[in-house]
Amino acid sequence: MTQDSLFEPPAGTQLDEVVIYCDGGSRGNPGPSAIGAVVLDPSTDPPRRLAVVSARIGITTNNVAEYRALIAGLEAAAPFGARRARVRADSKLVVEQVKGAWKVRQPHLRPLFEEARKLLSGYDEVDVAHVPRAENVDADALVNAALDAPAPPE
């Protein structure tokens, strides 16, 4: 997995807020899959990229990829110690399940849901919202870059 922290917060400092854009995708369902996430500091203009994630995750479903992208984005944001997190994703299913509006009916998604909820519980305030794909272009581009990259030798 490619995960780059572009900035290290100075020791003892804490960001007030991070914004996480995440996306997962499969070419086929199931099929070759990848994740992408961007962690931003919204206190700067334009918002500064703090970390990016772009990785192939093997053969899986789109919904698994979407959850794994959310988890990877939250993990990439954790070192910045923000008090609030705004998460933006174009998966209506993941957003509504994480918000508690929809039940997690598929047993294989339950552990991913629980991991995402655990990571979100580390914030004082959380805002998770669905955005159209057109507003999630950076994370989507990271997914496609991972899927288009030559496969690593086995």
Side-chain angles (χ1 to χ4, degrees):
M1 174 165 57
T2 300
Q3 178 175 328
D4 294 319
S5 289
L6 305 174
F7 297 94
E8 290 293 326
T13 63
Q14 181 179 17
L15 291 177
D16 184 53
E17 180 177 41
V18 290
V19 177
I20 303 162
Y21 284 88
C22 57
D23 193 19
S26 297
R27 293 189 177 155
N29 199 22
S33 302
I35 59 174
V38 180
V39 180
L40 302 172
D41 175 359
S43 70
T44 64
D45 187 22
R48 179 174 57 162
R49 277 187 174 203
L50 300 172
V52 296
V53 178
S54 180
R56 288 176 188 239
I57 58 169
I59 305 296
T60 192
T61 66
N62 189 65
N63 289 338
V64 168
E66 294 282 5
Y67 262 109
R68 292 204 34 206
L70 170 60
I71 291 164
L74 290 166
E75 289 173 342
F80 298 97
R83 191 177 66 76
R84 297 183 311 195
R86 279 192 285 153
V87 176
R88 302 296 179 254
D90 58 24
S91 170
K92 186 82 167 165
L93 177 98
V94 169
V95 167
E96 295 301 330
Q97 287 179 343
V98 168
K99 288 170 57 174
W102 293 359
K103 292 180 182 178
V104 181
R105 298 188 190 277
Q106 296 175 310
H108 71 283
L109 294 180
R110 170 102 7 225
L112 297 168
F113 164 80
E114 289 171 359
E115 187 173 355
R117 291 290 300 229
K118 180 181 176 188
L119 290 166
L120 288 166
S121 73
Y123 293 94
D124 294 339
E125 295 177 35
V126 173
D127 175 31
V128 178
H130 177 260
V131 294
R133 182 177 290 181
E135 292 179 27
N136 203 19
V137 293
D138 288 346
D140 182 66
L142 291 166
V143 169
N144 285 305
L147 287 170
D148 292 341
E154 294 184 21

